[in-house]
Amino acid sequence: MELPTLPTITPRKNSLVYLVKILSGSLILWFGLRAIGFTSPYWAMISLIIVTEPDITQAKANFRARLINTLSGCVVACAALIIFGATFWAMLIALTGAVIIAMLWQNYPSNWRLGPATVVILMSAAFSGAGLHEELNLALLRVVEVIAGSTLALLQTVIYIGLVNRRQRLG
């Protein structure tokens, strides 16, 4: 009787690059944003992870997509909060609006689901909010975090490519 063979585990190309960029970026964002008053910069870290790529073309595309989806989701969620308030039904209306925008907008980023996901995250956080002003402020803070995390990921890619090019010239 022959024993089944286990699949081999081998690291993917650029595994170490991803690991170093995500860990170093997370440390920079966590301590940097907390130092300026962001108590829990999770969205910045999530954006860093989503945008991180060793290839500048892909990193730029990820940056653009993350920004478009976040801004779209925030605008739709804020509009729903202002018009309908923080209710489950308002969240469903906003979710529908975000999906329709993504489906109708020509050349909308392929990871369009991040826009509606942003709507759900912001609207559900608003359920326990202390009023419209606080809820809109929370949305704005999330946009700032997304921009910070995405920008850091893009900067890390530029630095990485610079180091690779320098090494190739010297080596």
Side-chain angles (χ1 to χ4, degrees), residues 21-22 25-34 36 38 40-52 66 70 141-154 156:
K21 287 172 69 174
I22 289 171
S26 294
L27 287 168
I28 291 167
L29 289 169
W30 185 262
F31 292 108
L33 291 178
R34 287 175 61 95
I36 60 171
F38 288 80
S40 304
Y42 302 119
W43 277 50
M45 292 172 66
I46 291 167
S47 295
L48 171 89
I49 294 164
I50 290 170
V51 174
T52 293
R66 184 69 174 139
T70 299
L141 290 175
R142 296 305 177 247
V143 171
V144 171
E145 284 186 46
V146 166
I147 291 170
S150 299
T151 301
L152 180 58
L154 199 56
Q156 285 181 313

Side-chain angles (χ1 to χ4, degrees), residues 88-157:
F88 174 72
W89 296 108
M91 182 173 68
L92 290 181
I93 291 168
L95 180 61
T96 301
V99 171
I100 289 171
I101 288 170
M103 295 294 106
L104 295 178
W105 186 345
Q106 206 67 317
N107 298 320
Y108 198 86
S110 60
N111 58 351
W112 62 269
R113 291 168 193 85
L114 291 173
T118 300
V119 166
V120 171
I121 291 167
L122 290 175
M123 295 290 294
S124 62
F127 293 163
S128 60
L132 182 62
H133 183 267
E134 182 182 316
E135 294 154 3
L136 295 176
N137 187 45
L138 177 67
L140 181 61
L141 290 175
R142 296 305 177 247
V143 171
V144 171
E145 284 186 46
V146 166
I147 291 170
S150 299
T151 301
L152 180 58
L154 199 56
L155 286 173
Q156 285 181 313
T157 300

